Amino acid sequence: AQTVTQSQPEMSVQEAETVTLSCTYDTSESDYYLFWYKQPPSRQMILVIRQEAYKQQNATENRFSVNFQKAAKSFSLKISDSQLGDAAMYFCAYSMVLGGEYGNKLVFGAGTILRVKS
Amino acid sequence: DTGVSQNPRHKITKRGQNVTFRCDPISEHNRLYWYRQTLGQGPEFLTYFQNEAQLEKSRLLSDRFSAERPKGSFSTLEIQRTEQGDSAMYLCASSLDEFTGSHQPQHFGDGTRLSIL
């Protein structure tokens, strides 16, 4: 079974600084997706960034980038120029690549609370 | 795009009662997922629908839980004879098909928070 581990229950960052959130995962599959989701307090979970395992290039989305180390099964999220609005719970998630009628259920880590200090 | 809608936002009930939650996915989304999230944890997969067909169920979905998506549009999740351990946030997500091979992201609703007294 696939598992996702986030070893940092809580992280803090000063506004405008950079912070890195860690994630490791375990799978026997060679192709899969990895995600970082953001869940602000009492608000919807939203997708921040996605990485396809067969792509060696690390994904970037504006201030968000990942460091994907496939051999080490590591997938960290770097947030640059942190803003107050980045404060939220961040979840690392995994999904298999399945075709046809098979759904792509997400396997989530326990989450990391990110606090942004002004 | 009105997003995924879940009702009610919060449900408080006594142990042993039955509860039903509703999820309205984004209108053109064929796929619908239910997850459960307990305090301080990440969501855990419960079940998945492709149109009206329930194609996968987690071991977490005991026989007290039943989910339906009768016309391939909205879905309901019912919990019978609720227990203290059922207290959690129940999240619904929807997505398009992936027959083209390209990944379609899941869009989440606000969730229904269930509190068992």
Side-chain angles (χ1 to χ4, degrees):
Chain A
Q2 295 83 18
T3 59
V4 176
T5 302
Q6 293 179 250
S7 59
Q8 304 156 318
E10 191 170 326
M11 293 283 285
S12 292
V13 63
Q14 199 71 32
E15 201 175 1
E17 298 293 310
T18 296
V19 65
T20 298
L21 308 184
S22 300
C23 172
T24 58
Y25 60 95
D26 189 26
T27 182
S28 58
E29 302 293 324
S30 59
D31 199 13
Y32 44 88
Y33 298 112
L34 295 166
F35 311 87
W36 280 98
Y37 278 87
K38 171 185 178 182
Q39 187 178 40
S42 301
R43 293 180 60 189
Q44 287 180 349
M45 181 112 55
I46 58 173
L47 179 64
V48 174
I49 197 165
R50 178 187 83 203
Q51 176 77 42
E52 296 169 41
Y54 72 88
K55 292 185 177 178
Q56 293 186 346
Q57 187 173 7
N58 288 325
T60 62
E61 288 286 344
N62 300 315
R63 299 182 296 107
F64 299 87
S65 62
V66 298
N67 183 4
F68 173 47
Q69 301 290 327
K70 191 172 184 179
K73 295 181 180 176
S74 169
F75 183 61
S76 61
L77 174 70
K78 185 172 81 171
I79 306 175
S80 304
D81 185 26
S82 297
Q83 301 174 0
L84 293 176
D86 294 334
M89 176 77 94
Y90 285 81
F91 291 101
C92 179
Y94 165 101
S95 170
M96 293 174 66
V97 176
L98 296 169
E101 67 182 14
Y102 296 100
N104 288 51
K105 65 183 178 187
L106 295 166
V107 178
F108 287 89
T112 297
I113 297 172
L114 177 65
R115 304 190 192 282
V116 181
K117 301 175 183 176
S118 59
Chain B
D1 182 353
T2 57
V4 178
S5 176
Q6 291 190 248
N7 289 288
R9 291 294 305 276
H10 198 171
K11 179 71 176 179
I12 302 172
T13 191
K14 293 181 178 179
R15 184 168 53 91
Q17 298 295 304
N18 299 343
V19 294
T20 300
F21 314 138
R22 176 176 170 129
C23 171
D24 288 88
I26 294 171
S27 59
E28 64 269 26
H29 284 185
N30 304 76
R31 297 183 166 188
L32 188 146
Y33 303 81
W34 285 98
Y35 295 87
R36 182 173 71 185
Q37 185 179 17
T38 53
L39 201 60
Q41 298 298 316
E44 295 173 293
F45 169 77
L46 291 178
T47 190
Y48 154 67
F49 289 86
Q50 173 87 3
N51 299 309
E52 67 276 9
Q54 188 175 19
L55 297 182
E56 188 174 358
K57 292 194 291 185
S58 162
R59 292 190 307 272
L60 295 174
L61 217 65
S62 75
D63 56 6
R64 295 186 297 106
F65 288 71
S66 62
E68 294 183 342
R69 194 182 182 197
K71 296 183 179 179
S73 57
F74 73 91
S75 176
T76 58
L77 178 66
E78 180 183 15
I79 308 175
Q80 296 182 328
R81 305 180 303 281
T82 52
E83 301 174 355
Q84 289 285 349
D86 296 333
S87 295
M89 176 76 85
Y90 290 83
L91 295 170
C92 177
S94 70
S95 76
L96 289 167
D97 285 336
E98 299 194 13
F99 292 104
T100 60
S102 62
H103 173 76
Q104 297 296 334
Q106 293 182 29
H107 298 258
F108 284 82
D110 287 334
T112 293
R113 182 168 296 283
L114 174 64
S115 300
I116 307 296
L117 301 178

